[in-house]
Amino acid sequence: HMKSSISTKRKILLIVALLVVLVGAYVVVNFVLKKETYVRTVPTVSRDVVAEAGNMNFSIQGVDVKFDDGTARVEGLPGSVKIMSKSLEIDFNSDRVMDRAVIIKNDREDGTVYFYASVVLVGQDGTLTNTNTISLGEGSLIQRMLELPNNTFSIEYLERKNPKDAPSIPRKRTFQVEGYALSEIVKK
């Protein structure tokens, strides 16, 4: 009888010890190792801007692209163009209304895929205006978009080495919005 009670106590101790280790690991991974510590004040929550932007015009590579429900086909830009659902909510123009950094994808007939970054600004009256677009290159695999201080943001993605390769070269580019212009911040 004595033996089984010892093994039961041992099992309980092992389970408790395992739980303590798991909780400790979770805390370390989620709170200690996270590098992003920038905290912003959150203005009023805006509506589904990405869906609404899906009916706007964007200038891509000098071509005026009129989107209809998030997609477009236009002369001068081969294939189909689509606004991706992934976006980043930031109040770029400090008007207490959330704006959106968006990614636009151009699937071309020759199998190449081009990605572009743009920002949709939401006015206090609710009107949408967008910035210019900046190319992120061909074959990119967008990994994440990250808010940075001073109304800037970064896009991390993988780029292809060759057109037939899977995207594998990590890139991180930083952008800012000034007025209605999107520009890249190039570190010197």
Side-chain angles (χ1 to χ4, degrees):
H1 241 315
M2 199 66 179
K3 229 178 205 169
S4 68
S5 71
I6 290 174
S7 67
T8 304
K9 283 180 183 170
R10 259 204 189 131
K11 282 179 190 167
I12 291 171
L13 279 173
L14 273 171
I15 290 169
V16 168
L18 185 65
L19 284 173
V20 167
V21 168
L22 286 174
V23 168
Y26 175 82
V27 168
V28 166
V29 167
N30 281 314
F31 301 103
V32 179
L33 297 179
K34 277 200 174 156
K35 291 183 287 258
E36 290 83 46
T37 54
Y38 174 62
V39 177
R40 62 174 154 92
T41 58
V42 180
T44 56
V45 175
S46 58
R47 55 205 204 259
D48 188 358
V49 173
V50 178
E52 290 179 47
N55 293 308
M56 294 179 73
N57 288 25
F58 285 81
S59 178
I60 301 172
Q61 302 286 90
V63 177
D64 187 42
V65 179
K66 165 102 181 79
F67 282 91
D68 182 25
D69 232 1
T71 60
R73 283 189 171 277
V74 292
E75 282 290 316
L77 209 58
S80 64
V81 191
K82 178 179 182 215
I83 294 182
M84 308 293 289
S85 58
K86 182 183 218 80
S87 71
L88 183 63
E89 212 177 26
I90 301 177
D91 181 9
F92 284 108
N93 49 7
S94 305
D95 64 356
R96 303 202 51 73
V97 181
M98 296 306 267
D99 307 305
R100 289 291 200 311
V102 296
I103 302 289
I104 298 171
K105 179 181 180 185
N106 177 207
D107 280 304
R108 300 195 174 181
E109 279 96 5
D110 62 4
T112 58
V113 182
Y114 288 83
F115 288 87
Y116 302 89
S118 185
V119 170
V120 177
L121 298 164
V122 183
Q124 284 188 306
D125 60 357
T127 56
L128 301 184
T129 317
N130 55 18
T131 67
N132 52 302
T133 56
I134 295 179
S135 175
L136 299 175
E138 193 279 326
S140 309
L141 176 66
I142 307 298
Q143 293 186 302
R144 67 182 188 157
M145 299 166 77
L146 199 63
E147 180 176 356
L148 301 172
N150 305 320
N151 293 343
T152 62
F153 68 101
S154 67
I155 300 176
E156 294 175 21
Y157 59 96
L158 298 177
E159 208 170 60
R160 292 191 218 230
K161 195 173 201 153
N162 300 301
K164 297 283 179 258
D165 295 352
S168 62
I169 303 161
R171 294 277 185 252
K172 180 177 182 174
R173 291 168 63 186
T174 305
F175 301 93
Q176 69 184 357
V177 176
E178 290 175 306
Y180 294 102
L182 178 66
S183 60
E184 184 170 1
I185 299 171
V186 182
K187 297 196 169 40
K188 290 168 178 63

